[in-house]
Amino acid sequence: ELGFGFEVISYRMGELRMERIDAIFKARGVQGVIIAPIDQPGTDFDFPWDQYAVGALGGSVLTPLISYVMMHFQHGMARALTEVKSRGYRRVGFFHSERSGSRSEYLQLMSFLLHNHATEPSNRLEPLSVDGMPASEIADWMRVNQPDVIISSWYQGWECMQKLRINIPEDVGFVSLSTRDRHPQVSGMTVPIVAMADAAVDLVVAQVLRNERGLPKTPKCVLVEGVWNEGATLRQVASC
């Protein structure tokens, strides 16, 4: 694409020293590097930044500051809330985790709290942090709070709802903020992986063509809109 070749190099922290990675890149004539999302957001990279045009997929590289591409998480939550409201849901619960929160820069959580601020107190449910929470405690929370729909940024949200044997969407609706190809029946936002990858390539290639190397003076964040997947875990929009 754009006249450049691409090669995927798998790397796990601690497997190779950065000096070795740098030598491999130089031997292969690498000019630009796109860093894929990393398992531990916030991990520091001891990388020879000044030698390459650089960019990242997602915001998991916190230091140093480099340009990156990610899904527009704030708009994704806004779209999810619009969809559930249009179908008559009023008591909206939100499952979130630290991992998904850090990867989204907590924009999903902030958007939900804004929604809560405008929600009448009788229908206002505090977000549930599910990190390390056993299914039995989630079931207790569901029974006490009686949500009529759950929005989940937690990757295991759908699997958890199935384990709880909740009738979806008959009893409770469900929305994922990161739907998976293996679960097309789940309503929610699909992460625009291809569009994000294209934008990351554009970001790095532009630096190469301008002969820019190293950390940017003004890092950029490119936001890509997610795509709504209708699925089958919400009730249908009421017709007039």
Side-chain angles (χ1 to χ4, degrees):
E1 187 173 332
L2 301 176
F4 290 84
F6 291 88
E7 185 172 354
V8 177
I9 298 178
S10 298
Y11 170 73
R12 293 181 183 274
M13 287 293 178
E15 285 188 348
L16 290 174
R17 293 190 307 169
M18 279 300 170
E19 292 85 352
R20 176 57 179 160
I21 295 291
D22 185 32
I24 292 173
F25 286 171
K26 284 185 168 60
R28 299 181 183 181
V30 172
Q31 302 178 66
V33 176
I34 298 172
I35 301 173
I38 56 178
D39 289 337
Q40 298 295 327
T43 301
D44 291 333
F45 273 89
D46 181 19
F47 185 77
W49 303 102
D50 60 323
Q51 302 294 312
Y52 304 96
V54 294
L57 272 170
S60 54
V61 179
L62 300 184
T63 54
L65 292 176
I66 63 175
S67 297
Y68 62 100
V69 176
M70 73 175 186
M71 177 177 165
H72 202 317
F73 292 106
Q74 183 178 359
H75 283 186
M77 173 61 89
R79 176 64 185 273
L81 288 167
T82 296
E83 291 289 340
V84 301
K85 290 177 184 177
S86 72
R87 299 158 201 259
Y89 294 106
R90 294 293 176 263
R91 293 181 62 78
V92 184
F94 178 43
F95 290 173
H96 72 101
S97 67
E98 177 60 27
R99 182 171 183 264
S100 61
S102 61
R103 286 182 178 275
S104 67
E105 300 181 354
Y106 301 97
L107 290 169
Q108 296 164 332
L109 178 59
M110 287 188 284
S111 295
F112 183 78
L113 293 175
L114 178 62
H115 151 81
N116 262 7
H117 181 71
T119 298
E120 61 275 11
S122 61
N123 285 327
R124 188 180 299 157
L125 301 181
E126 292 302 313
L128 180 66
S129 177
V130 294
D131 289 305
M133 182 176 288
S136 60
E137 290 187 21
I138 296 176
D140 290 341
W141 183 91
M142 295 284 292
R143 184 170 55 254
V144 170
N145 290 277
Q146 293 294 304
D148 53 16
V149 64
I150 293 294
I151 297 176
S152 177
S153 66
W154 181 37
Y155 298 111
Q156 287 78 40
W158 173 241
E159 287 82 357
C160 178
M161 296 294 280
Q162 291 181 305
K163 288 179 181 178
L164 296 180
R165 297 184 178 179
I166 295 172
N167 292 323
I168 297 174
E170 292 81 7
D171 296 334
V172 179
F174 182 81
V175 175
S176 171
L177 295 177
S178 180
T179 61
R180 299 289 194 265
D181 290 340
R182 66 178 181 272
H183 297 315
Q185 77 276 25
V186 177
S187 304
M189 300 305 300
T190 300
V191 179
I193 295 295
V194 174
M196 288 170 57
D198 288 345
V201 169
D202 290 344
L203 196 65
V204 171
V205 167
Q207 295 174 55
V208 172
L209 295 178
R210 292 193 298 264
N211 199 32
E212 296 175 357
R213 301 293 186 274
L215 300 175
K217 293 180 180 178
T218 306
K220 299 176 182 177
C221 173
V222 179
L223 300 177
V224 182
E225 296 288 351
V227 179
W228 176 256
N229 177 57
E230 180 60 25
T233 56
L234 291 177
R235 60 192 177 212
Q236 296 298 307
V237 178
S239 57
C240 296

